[in-house]
Amino acid sequence: MNKRVSQRLCCVIALLFWGAYAIALMTGHHILANTFSPISAFLVGCSMIIFSRSLKKYGLTVVLGSLSVFFWVLGDIFFFINNDSPFGTPFTGYIAELLYKGTTIVMVVGLIAYVWTTFRNKAVIRLFSDAFLFSVSTILIATSVFTYFTKVSLKYTNFKLEHFVFTMFSMVIIILTMMIFVERGLNSLSWAGVIMIISLIMYGFLDIRYSLLDAEGISAISPELDIFFLLSLNLLGVAFACTTEEKLEAKDTSHQSGKIGVIIDLCIMAVGFVMHLYGIVNEGRFFTLLITTVAYLLLIRIIDANELSQQYLAEKEAEKELLESKMISQKEELQEVTEKLANISNLDLLTGLRNRRGWDLYCEELRRGGISGRIMMYSVDINYFKIINDTYGHAAGDAVLIEVGKRLASIEEDFIHSFRIAGDQFLVVVIDPNEEIRPDRFADFLIDLFDRSFDIESEYIKVTFSIGGAIYPKDTNNLEKLLSYAESARYTIKHTGSASSCTFFDNSIMPKIQRKKVLEQKLQVVNYDEQFELYYQPQVKAKSGELIGMEALLRWKEPEFGFVSPMEFIPIAEEMGIMLDMGNWITKQATRQIVQWNTTYHKNLVVGINVSPAQLRDIKFVDKFLDIMRASKVDTNWVDVEITESMALNGIMNNAEIISRIQNAGLTMSVDDFGTGYASFANMISFHFDRIKIAKELVDEIVENRNARVVVKAITGMAKDMGLHTIAEGVEDKEQLDVLVELGCEQIQGYYFDKPLPADTFEKRWL
Ligand code: C2E
Ligand code: CA
């Protein structure tokens, strides 16, 4: 049988015994009644003990409840012994009375245990104010009722301390029951709760009556009321049989307990008033009750206000805490994002290398760690990067940068660090504490690294690099300066060579840079017509020396610097992006000149116009060039376009369209400086050039160096096979001329015949 069933069974049997007891008592069967009474109470106690075993929190309360009932059982037994057995003595009577009082005392302890477990966290002031109201009103009303019904006016003259104490215990049962009722609130009131309140209050009032009579020395035994005494205990058992631990638990009802307190307060007032009207409560007591209830009302108001403000404060506090925790988490998030951002901001998103900021931080790290030994810094720049961008599009430009980044990342070591400092500028730093690495060897290593062609969008682009190196602490012991020195060194060779090259900083570089900067400023504002002039160098047939044409060569007569070599200012103009303008001016001058000469002297001379890669790579170049030709009404057979053979050029050579458009317009094309750079015979085949200009470097060697002769022979032979003309550049003496004629070179240009001459001198001498 489970606990619940046995608990309820005990209750039911207890009630039956109570019924039997009541009948026996009313019918005067006292012995029977006195036998049934302890049995009924015992069963109630048992039912509560059974119940208590299934409880956790309220176990003690219920055990105390059952204990109080068992005191009753014992009281009953001694009562029986005293009245209905031959063993009755005044002592047994006294013991019986004490045991009955034990019921009251333990019941009070049980109630206190309940209040303690349930309301210990509640506002103490509220509990006290409730206790105050209920104590005063209970004492006043209970004593009034007592006097009214028993007709015993309380004199308290025979009261001893124990009487006061026991009377107080009886009253405390009612007081605590009321307090529990108020504190739990109406909402949590169940049937079990109602029964429990009724049973306790019933017990309380009967006990008060008993205690007071006893204190006044009057026998309190009354069979009718004794029935209710036992009934109240039975009801307590029933109440526990109907309840559960959850129901015993009071929900948080502090906000409404005040309201119930006020209702009860008013009820007490009303009851007191009615009782006063009927003369149950005398004037003095009524006024005491009135003052108490008013005081209670005021107190409750204050408590409510206080609780509200505390609640408000608690809410505010909770809000604040929530806000603070939100703020903390937001701060953490922010920090995380900031760190991420800092990381990202140190990295170049395109290449994955560290950027300028990353370099600054690295510098800082180096400085903090203390630098020992040597640091080599290489500033790397892609030649004609702008042109690569313009020709192949930005995606291709990016792809080149990514590839450079990959190659640099592939050589990254503890002692080699790479950065992308700006657009197409990279920086390689080599830490060499024991000075084991040769700076020039490392430069060669870098050039080799970049020298493989770039496979971008399935086109092989040849990209060349300018590298400037500077060495710590030889050049400077300031890291920022070191970078600027490496950049300066690079600046001096930018666009000057046809292949990737590296130069190191030395003290002679600074004046060069200074001069370059000044020239740049001057070129920015120069008036071509005033300071620029075309010189013409004759080109002749090798065998006969007959004039076939001339190469137009630009001269800049700068007021401050005098003649500035095109070798010096043309790379600057290219870098500045003004080469197209300058080229147009040159084309205009040269075509006008050839038209004038050919028409005046009835000739078919051909003027060679140098076109730099920077011009050729500009999409608008061909259109503009042809426009100018049309404007000067030049016969296209009179113009030859000289294209510099350089590595950078290889890239555009893929762009066959430009070449074919020039040739379709009727112009011829020559490859300049052939044999020095990278232009290969393969290029000659894919693009149908008309003439090969054998580089001066080869011509210089041709007399003394057999290899040079072999190369020139191969070039002329191949050119002949392909139907191309050949012209040797920089021929300075008869010996060179003879060798060239022997090797099959068709045309000659060089000081041997004449230097580049101003137009009028050329005209005088050659036409
Ligand atoms: P380049 O096209 O190879 O021009 C030939 C250079 O060799 C010229 O130098 C010429 O004066 C020089 N030269 C000719 N014969 C001899 C010789 O027998 N001995 C020596 N030592 N030198 C000789 P220049 O005029 O100083 O031009 C240098 C470079 O500047 C040219 O090389 C060309 O690349 C560029 N350049 C000159 N004028 C123009 C131009 O109008 N447009 C473009 N885009 N570039 C130009
Ligand atoms: Ca030339």
Side-chain angles (χ1 to χ4, degrees):
M1 214 191 303
N2 76 25
K3 285 179 194 161
R4 203 69 191 170
V5 176
S6 32
Q7 179 199 2
R8 289 185 175 163
L9 199 67
C10 278
C11 264
V12 172
I13 301 170
L15 271 174
L16 290 175
F17 272 101
W18 171 78
Y21 159 77
I23 295 163
L25 203 62
M26 297 310 287
T27 52
H29 296 86
H30 286 278
I31 298 177
L32 216 52
N34 292 345
T35 313
F36 291 150
S37 174
I39 296 172
S40 172
F42 179 75
L43 288 167
V44 170
C46 285
S47 82
M48 284 161 77
I49 276 285
I50 295 167
F51 179 52
S52 75
R53 291 182 58 199
S54 60
L55 303 176
K56 283 183 195 134
K57 197 172 167 189
Y58 292 99
L60 178 69
T61 308
V62 180
V63 166
L64 286 167
S66 63
L67 195 65
S68 78
V69 178
F70 286 128
F71 267 101
W72 186 271
V73 176
L74 291 174
D76 265 359
I77 292 169
F78 274 86
F79 185 81
F80 181 87
I81 295 168
N82 192 46
N83 293 334
D84 306 312
S85 81
F87 309 107
T89 58
F91 179 69
T92 49
Y94 179 67
I95 294 286
E97 234 167 81
L98 265 186
L99 286 167
Y100 284 131
K101 279 172 182 148
T103 303
T104 305
I105 292 165
V106 178
M107 199 177 279
V108 168
V109 176
L111 284 167
I112 288 172
Y114 180 82
V115 170
W116 177 253
T117 25
T118 316
F119 305 117
R120 92 181 120 165
N121 296 326
K122 296 229 163 180
V124 187
I125 311 174
R126 183 180 289 281
L127 283 175
F128 272 115
S129 58
D130 287 346
F132 160 72
L133 169 75
F134 299 135
S135 309
V136 175
S137 51
T138 305
I139 291 166
L140 292 179
I141 292 173
T143 48
S144 301
V145 170
F146 171 81
T147 309
Y148 185 78
F149 284 106
T150 57
K151 305 289 180 242
V152 175
S153 61
L154 290 164
K155 297 188 191 71
Y156 304 104
T157 41
N158 297 327
F159 269 52
K160 290 182 199 132
L161 181 65
E162 55 175 283
H163 295 131
F164 271 111
V165 173
F166 287 127
T167 314
M168 271 327 289
F169 270 111
S170 308
M171 297 216 179
V172 166
I173 290 175
I174 295 177
I175 294 163
L176 286 177
T177 308
M178 300 275 277
M179 275 171 65
I180 292 166
F181 172 55
V182 170
E183 279 305 321
R184 283 180 60 102
L186 284 172
N187 285 0
S188 59
L189 204 62
S190 61
W191 274 112
V194 174
I195 295 170
M196 207 172 297
I197 289 165
I198 291 171
S199 75
L200 288 169
I201 288 184
M202 186 192 282
Y203 182 91
F205 270 109
L206 293 169
D207 206 42
I208 288 168
R209 172 191 161 271
Y210 190 92
S211 298
L212 287 175
L213 284 177
D214 192 42
E216 290 293 334
I218 299 162
S219 169
I221 294 171
S222 144
E224 302 82 24
L225 293 178
D226 285 351
I227 293 172
F228 286 101
F229 249 129
L230 191 60
L231 177 65
S232 70
L233 294 183
N234 268 276
L235 288 179
L236 200 62
V238 171
F240 280 121
C242 300
T243 196
T244 57
E245 182 148 49
E246 291 84 65
K247 282 187 189 162
L248 284 173
E249 179 79 72
K251 294 186 190 82
D252 184 22
T253 50
S254 58
H255 60 283
Q256 49 161 287
S257 60
K259 224 186 281 172
I260 301 161
V262 171
I263 294 168
I264 291 188
D265 185 41
L266 295 176
C267 289
I268 290 170
M269 250 318 287
V271 170
F273 183 68
V274 173
M275 285 174 133
H276 176 59
L277 285 184
Y278 283 94
I280 301 170
V281 173
N282 67 23
E283 229 158 60
R285 283 180 172 153
F286 176 67
F287 276 112
T288 315
L289 203 61
L290 193 69
I291 290 162
T292 310
T293 50
V294 171
Y296 178 79
L297 279 180
L298 288 174
L299 213 61
I300 286 297
R301 281 210 69 133
I302 293 165
I303 292 166
D304 273 356
N306 185 40
E307 262 180 14
L308 267 178
S309 66
Q310 266 178 5
Q311 208 174 316
Y312 177 77
L313 279 177
E315 271 168 23
K316 282 282 149 211
E317 191 62 32
E319 260 173 40
K320 207 177 116 193
E321 265 171 29
L322 195 79
L323 222 75
E324 267 171 12
S325 75
K326 260 192 198 164
M327 259 166 67
I328 288 170
S329 75
Q330 266 176 358
K331 216 170 136 189
E332 280 167 2
E333 257 172 48
L334 208 76
Q335 197 151 353
E336 215 172 282
V337 171
T338 313
E339 269 167 27
K340 270 189 195 156
L341 217 72
N343 260 336
I344 290 173
S345 63
N346 297 340
L347 288 182
D348 166 45
L349 293 178
L350 191 66
T351 61
L353 298 177
R354 276 170 282 179
N355 57 16
R356 175 90 215 191
R357 230 183 89 90
W359 157 247
D360 289 340
L361 289 175
Y362 178 70
C363 256
E364 201 48 50
E365 239 174 70
L366 274 182
R367 257 185 242 117
R368 251 186 282 127
I371 309 166
S372 67
R374 185 161 65 179
I375 295 176
M376 285 156 319
M377 208 177 275
Y378 297 88
S379 169
V380 180
D381 185 288
I382 303 175
N383 292 335
Y384 305 111
F385 183 69
K386 188 182 171 303
I387 295 170
I388 294 175
N389 259 338
D390 293 347
T391 313
Y392 298 98
H394 283 267
D398 282 355
V400 168
L401 291 173
I402 291 168
E403 179 59 27
V404 172
K406 268 192 202 155
R407 290 187 193 181
L408 286 175
S410 75
I411 61 162
E412 191 96 1
E413 291 277 353
D414 282 353
F415 62 98
I416 303 174
H417 300 270
S418 300
F419 305 83
R420 182 182 169 208
I421 294 289
D424 63 337
Q425 282 173 35
F426 295 84
L427 175 67
V428 182
V429 179
V430 182
I431 311 288
D432 184 22
N434 304 320
E435 308 202 358
E436 291 161 331
I437 303 165
R438 271 181 52 183
D440 55 338
R441 287 265 170 86
F442 192 83
D444 290 343
F445 168 72
L446 280 180
I447 290 173
D448 282 348
L449 181 74
F450 296 128
D451 225 11
R452 285 172 276 139
S453 64
F454 286 68
D455 179 8
I456 307 295
E457 290 167 4
S458 65
E459 280 196 72
Y460 290 98
I461 302 181
K462 188 82 192 168
V463 187
T464 62
F465 293 80
S466 300
I467 304 173
I471 294 161
Y472 174 103
K474 183 176 86 56
D475 297 327
T476 171
N477 55 11
N478 177 316
L479 289 175
E480 265 91 45
K481 267 195 187 158
L482 196 66
L483 173 62
S484 90
Y485 283 1
E487 284 175 343
S488 303
R490 192 203 68 227
Y491 185 66
T492 58
I493 54 160
K494 175 101 181 171
H495 293 175
T496 53
S498 56
S500 293
S501 55
C502 175
T503 189
F504 283 90
F505 177 84
D506 65 56
N507 288 329
S508 70
I509 267 174
M510 283 334 244
K512 281 187 209 158
I513 288 169
Q514 200 48 42
R515 180 178 159 93
K516 198 175 168 188
K517 286 202 170 127
V518 175
L519 288 180
E520 224 175 77
Q521 284 160 7
K522 288 182 183 290
L523 275 178
Q524 204 80 57
V525 291
V526 73
N527 181 334
Y528 299 141
D529 292 329
E530 280 172 14
Q531 294 183 17
F532 279 14
E533 188 183 350
L534 281 186
Y535 275 37
Y536 298 91
Q537 189 177 29
Q539 298 175 337
V540 299
K541 281 188 180 163
K543 284 180 184 159
S544 61
E546 182 196 336
L547 183 72
I548 49 167
M550 67 295 289
E551 178 179 0
L553 291 158
L554 186 59
R555 294 291 174 264
W556 180 15
K557 201 172 175 213
E558 209 287 316
E560 190 186 336
F561 292 118
F563 276 108
V564 182
S565 163
M567 303 272 258
E568 187 179 9
F569 72 80
I570 283 185
I572 301 174
E574 287 180 336
E575 211 174 295
M576 288 168 67
I578 57 166
M579 200 53 225
L580 198 69
D581 271 2
M582 206 184 272
N584 291 340
W585 183 87
I586 293 163
T587 312
K588 217 178 278 170
Q589 299 295 316
T591 49
R592 210 184 288 158
Q593 189 62 70
I594 198 64
V595 168
Q596 193 215 318
W597 282 339
N598 278 348
T599 46
T600 311
Y601 301 101
H602 308 290
K603 301 232 177 209
N604 273 314
L605 299 171
V606 176
V607 67
I609 299 175
N610 288 286
V611 170
S612 91
Q615 282 167 274
L616 206 58
R617 289 183 176 192
D618 198 301
I619 314 160
K620 293 171 283 183
F621 164 73
V622 182
D623 288 331
K624 190 70 197 166
F625 193 83
L626 298 176
D627 277 353
I628 296 168
M629 305 255 301
R630 267 191 294 275
S632 54
K633 296 196 175 66
V634 70
D635 183 334
T636 50
N637 289 319
W638 295 345
V639 178
D640 178 69
V641 175
E642 288 189 15
I643 293 173
T644 313
E645 187 250 296
S646 74
M647 219 160 92
L649 195 68
N650 278 354
I652 24 162
M653 280 307 159
N654 294 333
N655 201 338
E657 202 196 324
I658 298 173
I659 315 268
S660 61
R661 278 189 68 194
I662 292 173
Q663 289 178 329
N664 289 346
L667 302 159
T668 56
M669 275 187 107
S670 299
V671 191
D672 224 351
D673 298 323
F674 194 86
T676 53
Y678 284 72
S680 59
F681 291 115
N683 265 342
M684 300 300 108
I685 298 164
S686 9
F687 307 104
H688 302 285
F689 292 103
D690 302 281
R691 185 166 64 164
I692 290 173
K693 292 192 83 176
I694 299 167
K696 182 179 178 296
E697 283 81 353
L698 277 175
V699 173
D700 284 346
E701 303 281 310
I702 207 151
V703 177
E704 263 113 55
N705 191 327
R706 206 185 138 264
N707 286 339
R709 282 199 297 275
V710 170
V711 173
V712 172
K713 174 90 184 143
I715 294 172
T716 53
M718 181 214 64
K720 202 174 229 161
D721 290 348
M722 290 172 67
L724 308 178
H725 297 292
T726 45
I727 180 165
E729 281 189 284
V731 180
E732 290 182 340
D733 51 49
K734 179 86 170 61
E735 266 180 298
Q736 289 173 339
L737 175 67
D738 291 344
V739 176
L740 285 162
V741 171
E742 201 189 302
L743 291 174
C745 182
E746 296 171 350
Q747 303 166 1
I748 303 291
Q749 178 184 345
Y751 289 177
Y752 179 67
F753 287 98
D754 227 330
K755 288 189 171 183
L757 305 167
D760 49 352
T761 316
F762 185 93
E763 195 173 345
K764 265 183 225 147
R765 279 202 206 163
W766 289 89
L767 298 170

